[in-house]
Amino acid sequence: MKRSANEGGFLFSLSSRYPWMVLLVALVLSALSLWYTTQRMEFLTGRDDLMPKNTSFNRDYQAYRAEFGNPEDIVVVIESADAERAGAFGQKLYDAFSRDKEHFSDVFYPYALPFFKNNGLLFMDLADLKELHRNISLAAPPLKALAKAPSVQTLFNYMTQTMDSYVAGDSSKLPGIVFMLDKLGAGFTSFGAGGGAPPSLESMFMSSESSFAKAGRQQILTVLPVRNMVGFVPAGAAIATVRAEIAKVSALPEFKGVKVGLTGAPVLENEEMATSQHDISIATVLSLALTVVLLLLAFRGVLNVFAAMVSLLVAISLSFGFATVAIGHLNILSMVFAIMLIGIGIEYGIQLVLRYQEELKLGSMELEAIHTGLDRNIWAIVMAAATVAAAFLTFVFTDFRGIAELGVIAGGGVVICVAVTFTVLPAMLVLLARHRKPRKPRVERPRPHLKRLSLILFGYPKVVIAGTFVLCVASLYPLSQIAFDYNLMNLQAKGLESVTYAYKLMRSKENAGYFAVVVAKDKADAAAKTKALEALPTVDHVVSVNSFVPDHQQEKLAELAAIRQELSDIKPAKYEEELSLMELPTVFENFRNAVVKLKAKLDAEHRPEAQPVGKFLATLDAFFAKLEKERNKNAVGMLQDFQGGMFKDLPDKINLLKESLNAKPITEADIPPELKSRFVGKTGKLLLQVAPKHEIFDRKPLKAFLDDVRRLEPHATGEPVMVYESMTIMRDAYQRAFIYAFCAIVVILLVAFRSFKFALIGLVPLVVGVLFMVAGMWMFGISFNSANIIVMPLVLGIAVDSGIYIINRFRREDETAATVITSSTGIGVLLNTLTIMASFGALMVAHHQGVFSIGAVMSLGMVACQVAFMITLPAVLELAGKK
């Protein structure tokens, strides 16, 4: 240990002779580091930036992007029960975004294309189109009456007359009557529930479960943002512009009830970075505050806390400068390193200050106490820091770029923290020494309660070791059950709009926004691959340029011609808002009486239609009761809303419907260029979008889907492939880094203790701490994920470095293991753990679930390690002895 004394003497001599110079140099370097960081530090927000570049899956993805362009669109999801209203909303957005070349380089909205407006009905399933024909045939008579005078009175009077005709003996009217009552009942139920919409023309004519109807109710507009490379989120300005325009259009009265949400990779990135940056900023401030409070309680004086915090802030500032010089940017993983350094950086200062205070209590003079605190801790601190630095630096040997960069930044930060602890902190203590009040040596009085506690904790080492062994064996089961969560959505803050709509699109077969990509060389290849892919059990459908040439066109065109004939003599008149309030009570009463008589006749004839008519009667009574309840408040307004919702746009909708019936046969040559360009590449290759049958955010269904697709097409790519491969590489990289770090730590322990036995003892807190931590994660339902797994090397290093302090003092001082734990060294280890828990525990205020899980896992790890330090390690040392 002679070498450490010499080093301690040199560092103490430097700090004690030239404290102002040391402090001034440190502050100047800190200021330069912060200035340089603000000028040169960049932020990588894309997950692609974290991945290794020289992999087959990444080459496939880059080749796909080179052929078909950047797929990272902002996705606007427009939802409404009325497809025409949703379409009008989207049209306004499309017009506005198309004019804005500053923020958007491409805007795509299928509903705005004349191709779909004119030929949309040809894309319906043939069965759905036949059902549409049947429904229009049933609805044509009342529709003809409504076209002439669109109002509630017309509808109810017509239905009353038709029901009376049936009761009088005209049985041919029954199918149309039941059909209309069913549609009206659905509308009354929705509208009467409050906030709902009256029945739309689409809901009357086609099944609400048809693909065509679902596509109308949920429409997609995509915009490709112009990326501004300044700041955390390159697409931030474009996203803000989209949100502002949506708010502007949503405020228009004609779009009441239309819901709009954003998702897509840029939006998910934006919300993740904004949320995590905000959370980490709050957590950093909270962490520093908690650290100060803990130091005040431990040091029991402001001066030492001030000295330690100045040293810590200098270390963090210099670490930012190092990160800027060494790497030049932060990514979503490495941006938490400042939080790490708060807990790690203060650890070394705690050991020095507590030993310094201990020496003062024993009667040493100020400078002598500082010298002793530095001299007696330097070797232990260097070895302890080496374990943490080694744990991080082993990341450099992994294939995952994001992890390797974190390893360099955090490892370098640890070295800087140690250097500052040995220079700036002693200089601060020397400068503040003159401001301290003289202390008299204190004689510790016996404390019987502490002796009893010490006996309980340290008096039965064999029992402690046996109990720890049993718990470690029990922890092997949780270790075998703990999983790695591949679902990146689980990292986001709960309730985020972008996550909600990402799930909506995943569950939508019509608008699947999360799909694998297969590239075909020509039409024949595309057709063959499409047939093979759609036969897979995990694939729902494949979208390609061929998807825009409808099948069964002759049969569909015949159906459209028949529908056109049904509507040929319907000529809609202009809508008038007049309600004729004086007539309505009689109209309503006559309508209800007609329904009652209809039901009675059906019951008498034992017809099955009696049941749906009876159900409608109950719905009608509930609707009328709602009107009666609102009689003196808003009954007129309700009726106006109901009538306006049904009939205000009826003339336009009937005309649009008639126009859509004039579809012509479609060939590939008819597909518009803006649509074809999304599926035909620059060199003529064809894109196939392979939609999964089930949600694939979680690993098991994702792997099953990709295994199926890749068996047919090994070079399949797309976002699911990138997520699966990157998460797998990240998981494997951490596993390898864990093994590398473990090996490095074993070497460091052998060098530190020059004893195989004590090196083995030094691993006890590591094994116990990690096993207990994983057991705690299992108990609380916490999985490893791409965020919280970064704490593993830190837990690994801390589980060893704090043990080094305890073992080092146990071997050097004439003290028992129990005495070491109750000495400044043991208190320092306890305080180290508490400060790390405070710094990382502050992350648990985060809304971002990934950031929250970092704090939760680290807190569990520190509790587990503390048990190992304070209970298990002393028991092992007591039995092992000092030799």
Side-chain angles (χ1 to χ4, degrees):
M1 300 299 174
K2 189 174 182 181
R3 178 176 55 178
S4 66
N6 290 337
E7 289 172 348
F10 168 74
L11 292 171
F12 173 73
S13 176
L14 176 67
S15 301
S16 61
R17 291 184 181 182
Y18 312 105
W20 281 111
M21 183 191 73
V22 170
L23 182 59
L24 182 61
V25 170
L27 293 177
V28 170
L29 289 176
S30 298
L32 288 174
S33 294
L34 293 176
W35 174 82
Y36 187 71
T37 298
T38 59
Q39 297 299 309
R40 296 299 180 91
M41 179 66 80
E42 296 179 351
F43 301 93
L44 302 183
T45 60
R47 294 186 182 275
D48 295 351
D49 297 322
L50 308 182
M51 288 184 255
K53 299 300 181 185
N54 191 29
T55 59
S56 59
F57 74 87
N58 194 63
R59 288 195 295 271
D60 290 337
Y61 187 68
Q62 295 306 322
Y64 152 60
R65 291 181 63 165
E67 180 75 16
F68 296 98
N70 186 350
E72 295 186 351
D73 291 315
I74 298 171
V75 179
V76 184
V77 184
I78 307 166
E79 297 179 304
S80 174
D82 188 329
E84 293 292 341
R85 188 172 295 147
F89 192 107
Q91 185 69 55
K92 282 191 174 292
L93 293 182
Y94 176 81
D95 293 340
F97 297 154
S98 298
R99 292 191 297 268
D100 189 346
K101 303 301 182 183
E102 178 185 354
H103 296 107
F104 311 114
S105 59
D106 179 70
V107 185
F108 182 67
Y109 183 43
Y111 200 89
L113 295 175
F115 175 76
F116 286 111
K117 286 185 176 181
N118 298 334
N119 305 298
L121 293 178
L122 286 179
F123 290 94
M124 290 182 69
D125 289 338
L126 182 58
D128 290 337
L129 192 57
K130 288 182 176 181
E131 182 182 8
L132 174 65
H133 182 192
R134 183 183 73 86
N135 291 345
I136 287 179
S137 296
L138 293 171
L143 199 59
K144 186 182 296 184
L146 286 167
K148 294 177 181 177
S151 68
V152 170
Q153 290 97 316
T154 301
L155 176 63
F156 279 29
N157 284 334
Y158 176 85
M159 291 303 300
T160 299
Q161 294 169 8
T162 307
M163 287 185 285
D164 287 343
S165 297
Y166 174 77
V167 172
D170 186 359
S171 58
S172 65
K173 305 284 187 180
L174 185 59
I177 291 170
V178 175
F179 172 78
M180 289 299 298
L181 293 183
D182 176 65
K183 298 302 181 182
L184 283 173
F188 289 147
T189 300
S190 173
F191 188 76
S200 65
L201 197 63
E202 295 85 357
S203 67
M204 293 184 66
F205 291 155
M206 64 184 68
S207 169
S208 61
E209 295 305 310
S210 71
S211 296
F212 193 83
K214 288 180 179 178
R217 295 196 301 269
Q218 185 190 72
Q219 300 182 24
I220 306 299
L221 181 150
T222 61
V223 288
L224 187 62
V226 174
R227 290 180 170 256
N228 178 4
M229 301 313 294
V230 177
F232 263 104
V233 186
I239 293 169
T241 302
V242 171
R243 291 194 188 281
E245 191 62 33
I246 288 172
K248 178 182 174 183
V249 178
S250 296
L252 299 175
E254 61 263 35
F255 296 121
K256 181 182 178 182
V258 177
K259 296 180 180 178
V260 184
L262 297 188
T263 188
V267 184
L268 288 165
E269 273 182 18
N270 174 62
E271 293 193 339
E272 180 170 40
M273 291 301 294
T275 304
S276 57
Q277 184 187 9
H278 176 264
D279 290 340
I280 289 173
S281 298
I282 293 175
T284 302
V285 174
L286 182 59
S287 175
L288 287 170
L290 290 173
T291 300
V292 169
V293 171
L294 285 171
L295 293 181
L296 286 171
L297 293 174
F299 296 164
R300 298 183 181 181
V302 174
L303 294 181
N304 287 342
V305 174
F306 178 70
M309 291 306 296
V310 168
S311 301
L312 176 62
L313 294 175
V314 166
I316 292 174
S317 301
L318 294 176
S319 296
F320 269 106
F322 167 76
T324 307
V325 172
I327 304 297
H329 56 255
L330 295 178
N331 57 58
I332 197 166
L333 295 177
S334 60
M335 66 186 293
V336 299
F337 92 95
I339 288 280
M340 289 183 175
L341 291 183
I342 293 174
I344 299 171
I346 202 66
E347 169 188 335
Y348 312 122
I350 286 172
Q351 289 294 332
L352 194 156
V353 172
L354 286 179
R355 186 57 186 259
Y356 157 67
Q357 289 183 324
E358 183 181 356
E359 295 300 319
L360 287 178
K361 291 177 183 178
L362 295 175
S364 298
M365 300 299 290
E366 289 283 348
L367 293 182
E368 182 185 357
I370 296 171
H371 185 195
T372 303
L374 185 60
D375 178 58
R376 290 305 179 97
N377 278 299
I378 188 169
W379 183 244
I381 288 176
V382 168
M383 290 296 101
T387 62
V388 179
F392 279 114
L393 289 173
T394 51
F395 286 179
V396 175
F397 302 106
T398 67
D399 297 328
F400 203 92
R401 178 185 173 190
I403 297 175
E405 291 175 355
L406 173 63
V408 172
I409 292 172
V414 170
V415 174
I416 291 171
C417 288
V418 172
V420 170
T421 299
F422 291 157
T423 53
V424 178
L425 181 55
M428 287 292 297
L429 293 175
V430 169
L431 290 172
L432 295 174
R434 69 188 68 177
H435 300 288
R436 301 180 192 278
K437 296 178 182 179
R439 297 190 183 191
K440 295 181 179 179
R442 291 171 52 187
V443 178
E444 293 290 335
R445 297 179 180 179
R447 298 180 183 179
H449 63 284
L450 289 180
K451 286 187 176 182
R452 287 194 296 271
L453 180 61
S454 179
L455 179 64
I456 294 172
L457 292 177
F458 310 119
Y460 306 97
K462 292 182 180 179
V463 174
V464 169
I465 292 174
T468 301
F469 178 78
V470 170
L471 291 175
C472 285
V473 171
S475 298
L476 294 176
Y477 175 75
L479 182 64
S480 68
Q481 297 299 306
I482 202 75
F484 186 89
D485 188 356
Y486 277 62
N487 190 344
L488 296 178
M489 299 298 169
N490 290 338
L491 300 183
Q492 298 274 21
K494 292 181 179 179
L496 280 183
E497 177 189 80
S498 57
V499 175
T500 300
Y501 277 90
Y503 275 109
K504 280 189 176 185
L505 293 186
M506 172 57 68
R507 296 171 183 135
S508 167
K509 293 182 179 180
E510 295 72 36
N511 296 309
Y514 197 51
F515 46 79
V517 169
V518 171
V519 177
K521 58 185 178 182
D522 53 37
K523 295 178 186 177
D525 188 33
K529 286 181 176 178
T530 297
K531 183 177 179 181
L533 287 166
E534 289 185 336
L536 295 173
T538 56
V539 172
D540 186 79
H541 63 275
V542 176
V543 179
S544 69
V545 70
N546 293 332
S547 304
F548 303 107
V549 179
D551 56 4
H552 305 293
Q553 290 194 50
Q554 291 304 316
E555 296 96 320
K556 291 178 180 179
L557 288 168
E559 290 291 337
L560 294 181
I563 296 173
R564 192 162 58 243
Q565 182 62 36
E566 293 275 3
L567 298 176
S568 60
D569 58 348
I570 296 178
K571 297 178 175 55
K574 184 179 179 182
Y575 170 73
E576 300 290 344
E577 196 168 343
E578 177 61 43
L579 274 175
S580 302
L581 292 175
M582 299 302 294
E583 300 175 14
L584 283 180
T586 303
V587 170
F588 288 165
E589 183 178 0
N590 291 340
F591 177 69
R592 187 186 184 282
N593 289 338
V595 175
V596 172
K597 287 186 287 185
L598 173 65
K599 183 178 184 305
K601 181 174 175 62
L602 294 172
D603 284 335
E605 296 174 350
H606 303 290
R607 295 188 66 103
E609 291 88 348
Q611 184 177 357
V613 171
K615 182 180 178 182
F616 172 77
L617 183 59
T619 301
L620 180 65
D621 285 341
F623 180 68
F624 285 165
K626 179 79 171 178
L627 286 176
E628 184 65 27
K629 187 177 179 181
E630 297 288 329
R631 184 174 183 178
N632 297 322
K633 298 179 184 176
N634 192 37
V636 174
M638 281 184 62
L639 285 171
Q640 286 175 332
D641 288 344
F642 184 79
Q643 176 172 286
M646 284 192 72
F647 305 125
K648 182 179 180 180
D649 298 327
L650 183 64
D652 291 336
K653 288 188 174 184
I654 290 176
N655 289 328
L656 285 171
L657 176 60
K658 294 174 96 173
E659 288 176 13
S660 68
L661 298 172
N662 297 318
K664 302 288 191 252
I666 295 175
T667 66
E668 186 179 334
D670 298 314
I671 302 174
E674 55 265 55
L675 180 58
K676 185 180 289 187
S677 65
R678 304 179 89 79
F679 293 90
V680 180
K682 296 174 183 177
T683 65
K685 293 179 180 178
L686 303 179
L687 174 68
L688 308 181
Q689 296 178 346
V690 187
K693 186 166 289 185
H694 310 289
E695 289 183 19
I696 56 171
F697 287 129
D698 294 322
R699 181 180 183 275
K700 188 175 180 180
L702 174 59
K703 184 177 186 300
F705 171 66
L706 294 181
D707 285 349
D708 277 354
V709 173
R710 285 167 138 181
R711 268 194 293 271
L712 289 176
E713 182 51 56
H715 295 288
T717 185
E719 192 66 19
V721 174
M722 297 299 285
V723 168
Y724 177 78
E725 293 292 351
S726 63
M727 292 297 99
T728 301
I729 287 179
M730 175 181 278
R731 182 199 64 188
D732 295 345
Y734 273 110
Q735 289 176 347
R736 288 195 298 272
F738 190 93
I739 295 171
Y740 298 158
F742 183 85
C743 295
I745 285 170
V746 170
V747 172
I748 291 169
L749 288 174
L750 288 170
V751 172
F753 298 137
R754 298 182 180 88
S755 163
F756 180 79
K757 181 180 82 171
F758 281 99
L760 195 61
I761 292 173
L763 294 175
V764 168
L766 186 155
V767 175
V768 174
V770 170
L771 285 175
F772 284 9
M773 181 194 75
V774 172
M777 291 175 63
W778 178 75
M779 289 174 62
F780 288 101
I782 302 172
S783 299
F784 282 116
N785 57 49
S786 60
N788 65 35
I789 201 169
I790 67 173
V791 308
M792 282 304 294
L794 191 53
V795 172
L796 201 67
I798 291 169
V800 174
D801 75 350
S802 291
I804 288 176
Y805 299 133
I806 294 171
I807 296 171
N808 184 66
R809 179 152 182 168
F810 175 75
R811 295 183 71 194
R812 293 184 60 178
E813 311 284 345
D814 187 20
E815 297 172 334
T816 64
T819 306
V820 171
I821 295 300
T822 57
S823 71
S824 64
T825 300
I827 294 171
V829 168
L830 174 62
L831 192 58
N832 292 345
T833 305
L834 292 177
T835 54
I836 292 172
M837 284 184 66
S839 61
F840 279 90
L843 295 174
M844 294 176 70
V845 303
H847 295 90
H848 188 276
Q849 293 182 85
V851 175
F852 172 88
S853 71
I854 293 174
V857 172
M858 194 65 195
S859 297
L860 286 171
M862 290 301 94
V863 170
C865 289
Q866 197 61 55
V867 171
F869 297 145
M870 295 300 177
I871 299 177
T872 305
L873 183 58
V876 174
L877 289 174
E878 197 64 39
L879 291 181
K882 293 182 179 290
K883 295 185 180 179

